[in-house]
Amino acid sequence: MLSSFREVMTKGPAKILTAGVMLLLSGSFALWGVEGWLQGRSNSDVATVGGSTISANTFSEAYRARTLQITRATGKAVTPDIARAFGLDKQVLNGLISEKAMEVQAAKLGLGLDQQTTVQTVMNDPDFQVTAPGKPPVFDANAFRQMLENNGMNEEMFFTRQREVYIRGQIDQGLTAGGPVPQALLQAAARYEQEKRNTSYFVLPQSSVGDIAPPDTAALQTYYDENKGAFRTKELRSLSYILVTPAELSGRATVTDADVQAAFEKNKAGSAALEQRTVEQIAFPSPDEAKAAAARIASGQITFEGLVSERKLKPEDIDLGTVSKRQLSDQKIADAAFALKEGATSDAVQGNLANVIVKVTKIVDAKTVLRGELERQRASEAAKNLRDAIEDERMGGAPLKDIAAKLKLKAVTLPPVDAQGRDAEGKPVAVPLATQVLPALFTAEPGSDPEAVDGRDEGLMWFSLDTVVPARDRTLDEAKNEVIAAWTADQKVAKLKEKADQLVTQLQGGKSLDEVAKGLNLQVTPAWDLTRNGQGQPVPPAVVTAVFATPLKGFGTALAANGTDRIIFHVEDNVIPELDAKAPQTEALSKQLATGISQDLMTEYVKKVEDQLGVAINQTNVDRVVGTGSL
């Protein structure tokens, strides 16, 4: 958990700094209503930069979003304790301070971001576009919404990030002015990155140190006292919940045959056009080829599927999907497809853009489609009504079990679980929508009213935090077996390291790697062309690092990939390619160095601006946001 958390902590959320304001592109939000809503909340501030403030609300939202990003990336809930241990609160606050400093500085410099440019940038971003054959790329609002959701962002936060990107870009251009990378720096970096080393090694297994005698009482007590935190119990929290599934909503949104008939009769022409067909097509370069292929099918020489195989077409090459007639843009192909019976194949059709043969594999009659639309509509209405009813009851202070009884729903109470969804004995507990609920549960304050969790196809869930069982230190007697196991493992690691160091001393004294390995009945293995940053190398990264930290012709040791054995290696020689300025890897390295120089200059500039403006942090309000979990 901690290793994956640490990895994600070093990375920014994808696309946060390359997109713009969601609401300017979608009518389903109200960006300009967000500001007023935030102003209606607490006016407490966590920091002041040059007289401009950062509100506790802004910090809370950013902190919560970053926590959710890490949770989604690692698949593990991030508790407040873990977040504070890794300094997440400081990272988020420092980022907001830098943004605010740039905002103030931009105003002084007369820099800004116009609304139209923001919209156009997002709409032109390839990551938010979809393409169709013969048509230019168009903006995909769904992809944009998904990005926003994946990064735990709201509209105000996203707008702030995008504005910051533009401002930083304008200032950055002024700072760096696209200057070339110094040749000496490029040569040194290329030498460092492209150097290759050849080694030989053998694996010294942990079993070579033999059995470890059990610790005496004093040694065990000392080890426990020095590592007491490793044996603490985890904080546990219990919850009650109401989960409303799509099946539950469907049961509250029944559609009868009479309902379907009434809707059909109300608009016969429009309803009849709802019929859908699953259509496949094979395209041909010319009308003659299409006619010849159709004749072969008609005579029984080959089937439609046989023709697909003969022409080596993939499923996506022939699939037009399940569509209504008006969804097929080529009217001639649409007419042909909707004149066929289910399972039938058409004659050659000369469409507007292609000569094709089409086949209908399935027909969904108009009333069936209409029923589905009515069911979705009524399910949506049922969901809205149910959500409103539950929220009204919660605002009135009713407990979930009473709400469930009143609305004929099921309330479930779970035993206390930790942030990973395990009970006090470490056994997994089935927590619905766990990846969303557990982070919310462990950032909720006792007595608070957490927001509903929308699991989409998995359902809609309301929950309450019932009890909190604080983490505590276990006594030595409680954790004795675990303490002994941990002490033994550490002893084996230490003794193996000691033995490996002794072997390296023998090698440095003149013995060969083969001689030492043979004395231990171990096999020497070559590992050629190791590079500092290479992928898929024959030895783990820890060994690669040690190899490049060891002088040529020298010997060394490092942990094996399993984390218990050790590798003893000999650095035999190295190769440093001459710098080729036109090589793709050199050009890529040059761009990377230019980016690094630019970022370093920007970092120093931001620090200077912050020093000039002055920064004041209200640690009490910061602790209140982080400590109480009111995210």
Side-chain angles (χ1 to χ4, degrees):
M1 164 63 191
L2 294 183
S3 61
S4 56
F5 180 89
R6 184 179 290 106
E7 179 182 357
V8 174
M9 288 282 285
T10 64
K11 301 177 181 178
K15 297 306 300 173
I16 288 299
L17 299 181
T18 58
V21 184
M22 180 176 184
L23 190 57
L24 297 176
L25 303 163
S26 171
S28 60
F29 293 90
L31 175 62
W32 309 119
V34 170
E35 181 179 1
W37 172 71
L38 290 173
Q39 290 175 348
R41 298 177 67 179
S42 170
N43 291 322
S44 59
D45 301 320
V46 295
T48 303
V49 182
S52 185
T53 61
I54 300 172
S55 71
N57 290 322
T58 299
F59 175 59
S60 176
E61 289 290 342
Y63 184 69
R64 179 176 180 274
R66 190 67 177 118
T67 302
L68 290 176
Q69 289 162 7
I70 296 170
T71 296
R72 290 190 177 112
T74 62
K76 303 290 185 180
V78 179
T79 66
D81 286 343
I82 291 178
R84 282 192 292 270
F86 278 86
L88 183 61
D89 52 340
K90 293 182 177 61
Q91 289 186 23
V92 172
L93 183 57
N94 288 340
L96 292 175
I97 289 172
S98 295
E99 290 174 2
K100 182 61 69 174
M102 287 295 94
E103 179 183 321
V104 174
Q105 184 71 356
K108 288 184 177 183
L109 297 174
L111 302 176
L113 173 67
D114 67 272
Q115 189 170 306
Q116 184 177 359
T117 301
T118 301
V119 175
Q120 198 60 46
T121 299
V122 175
M123 296 189 73
N124 291 338
D125 190 327
D127 284 342
F128 302 133
Q129 292 181 331
V130 293
T131 57
K135 296 183 179 180
V138 295
F139 175 72
D140 185 354
N142 290 330
F144 189 83
R145 293 191 189 97
Q146 188 64 49
M147 179 281 302
L148 200 64
E149 179 180 331
N150 288 344
N151 288 289
M153 303 288 286
N154 63 27
E155 300 95 37
E156 188 210 23
M157 292 166 63
F158 196 85
F159 179 80
T160 301
R161 299 295 187 276
Q162 182 65 12
R163 185 171 184 271
E164 174 68 12
V165 170
Y166 273 81
I167 293 172
R168 280 179 178 265
Q170 294 173 22
I171 296 176
D172 180 56
Q173 289 178 8
L175 287 174
T176 60
V181 175
Q183 188 68 11
L185 176 60
L186 180 59
Q187 288 177 339
R191 176 188 177 95
Y192 180 88
E193 185 176 80
Q194 298 173 14
E195 178 186 1
K196 296 180 180 180
R197 290 198 170 192
N198 297 325
T199 69
S200 295
Y201 70 93
F202 65 83
V203 179
L204 183 65
Q206 191 177 80
S207 59
S208 65
V209 301
D211 295 331
I212 303 295
D216 58 31
T217 302
L220 192 63
Q221 184 67 52
T222 299
Y223 184 84
Y224 168 76
D225 292 339
E226 293 174 350
N227 300 278
K228 187 180 295 186
F231 306 107
R232 284 172 60 85
T233 65
K234 294 182 178 180
E235 178 181 313
L236 303 175
R237 297 190 170 202
S238 64
L239 72 153
S240 297
Y241 68 85
I242 296 173
L243 178 64
V244 180
T245 64
E248 172 73 27
L249 292 174
S250 296
R252 294 169 178 256
T254 56
V255 175
T256 66
D257 292 342
D259 294 332
V260 174
Q261 186 63 35
F264 188 88
E265 293 295 335
K266 186 176 181 180
N267 181 11
K268 283 189 175 182
S271 297
L274 293 175
E275 178 184 311
Q276 294 182 346
R277 298 188 170 205
T278 302
V279 183
E280 296 175 346
Q281 74 170 21
I282 301 174
F284 298 88
S286 68
D288 290 341
E289 289 185 62
K291 290 178 182 178
R296 291 176 64 195
I297 294 175
S299 66
Q301 294 180 27
I302 195 170
T303 63
F304 184 90
E305 290 73 21
L307 199 58
V308 169
S309 298
E310 181 179 275
R311 299 177 68 83
K312 298 181 180 179
L313 298 174
K314 300 177 182 177
E316 57 266 29
D317 296 332
I318 65 171
D319 183 26
L320 295 182
T322 301
V323 294
S324 64
K325 187 173 183 179
R326 58 191 171 193
Q327 287 177 303
L328 291 173
S329 58
D330 192 313
Q331 188 62 47
K332 293 180 180 179
I333 294 176
D335 289 340
F338 277 78
L340 295 172
K341 295 181 179 180
E342 186 171 311
T345 302
S346 73
D347 294 329
V349 180
Q350 187 171 358
N352 295 328
L353 298 175
N355 301 281
V356 303
I357 297 173
V358 298
K359 180 176 181 177
V360 173
T361 60
K362 182 180 179 181
I363 297 176
V364 184
D365 66 80
K367 288 187 177 180
T368 300
V369 177
L370 181 58
R371 179 183 291 275
E373 290 191 357
L374 291 174
E375 288 174 346
R376 284 189 291 272
Q377 178 183 341
R378 293 189 182 183
S380 177
E381 293 172 354
K384 180 181 183 303
N385 293 337
L386 191 57
R387 180 192 285 266
D388 292 344
I390 292 175
E391 294 296 348
D392 288 345
E393 293 291 333
R394 296 182 80 197
M395 289 182 65
L400 285 182
K401 64 178 181 179
D402 292 347
I403 298 174
K406 182 175 182 179
L407 299 178
K408 299 181 180 179
L409 298 168
K410 181 181 179 182
V412 179
T413 299
L414 295 180
V417 297
D418 63 20
Q420 283 71 49
R422 298 180 180 274
D423 63 18
E425 297 180 357
K427 298 178 181 178
V429 176
V431 181
L433 309 180
T435 57
Q436 296 166 269
V437 170
L438 289 173
L441 176 67
F442 276 82
T443 54
E445 182 181 0
S448 64
D449 193 19
E451 294 183 0
V453 175
D454 188 352
R456 299 183 180 274
D457 293 341
E458 296 180 64
L460 191 63
M461 181 171 165
W462 289 263
F463 74 92
S464 63
L465 169 59
D466 296 339
T467 59
V468 176
V469 182
R472 65 174 179 84
D473 289 332
R474 288 191 291 172
T475 66
L476 176 55
D477 286 341
E478 287 179 293
K480 188 172 183 178
N481 290 337
E482 293 177 36
V483 177
I484 292 175
W487 178 89
T488 302
D490 284 356
Q491 288 294 307
K492 287 183 177 180
V493 169
K495 287 188 178 298
L496 187 66
K497 173 67 164 57
E498 181 181 349
K499 183 172 182 177
D501 289 341
Q502 292 172 353
L503 294 176
V504 170
T505 299
Q506 293 178 23
L507 292 165
Q508 292 170 341
K511 287 190 174 183
S512 70
L513 193 71
D514 287 330
E515 183 181 359
V516 172
K518 186 176 181 180
L520 297 168
N521 293 320
L522 299 174
Q523 183 177 355
V524 173
T525 303
W528 306 121
D529 295 335
L530 299 181
T531 59
R532 283 183 172 88
N533 302 310
Q535 301 294 321
Q537 303 194 94
V539 292
V543 175
V544 173
T545 300
V547 165
F548 279 91
T550 302
L552 291 177
K553 306 302 181 181
F555 300 89
T557 177
L559 272 177
N562 61 10
T564 55
D565 300 338
R566 294 197 72 85
I567 286 179
I568 312 295
F569 61 84
H570 177 214
V571 182
E572 299 187 4
D573 56 44
N574 72 333
V575 177
I576 302 176
E578 291 187 10
L579 179 66
D580 181 357
K582 296 183 179 180
Q585 60 266 36
T586 304
E587 293 180 354
L589 179 61
S590 180
K591 291 179 181 179
Q592 181 181 349
L593 290 171
T595 300
I597 292 171
S598 174
Q599 291 174 344
D600 287 345
L601 287 172
M602 177 59 73
T603 298
E604 290 301 316
Y605 180 79
V606 171
K607 184 177 182 300
K608 185 68 174 179
V609 170
E610 290 177 4
D611 291 343
Q612 291 175 344
L613 294 175
V615 176
I617 296 175
N618 187 328
Q619 194 61 46
T620 300
N621 285 344
V622 172
D623 292 341
R624 182 177 293 117
V625 171
V626 177
T628 61
S630 56
L631 303 181

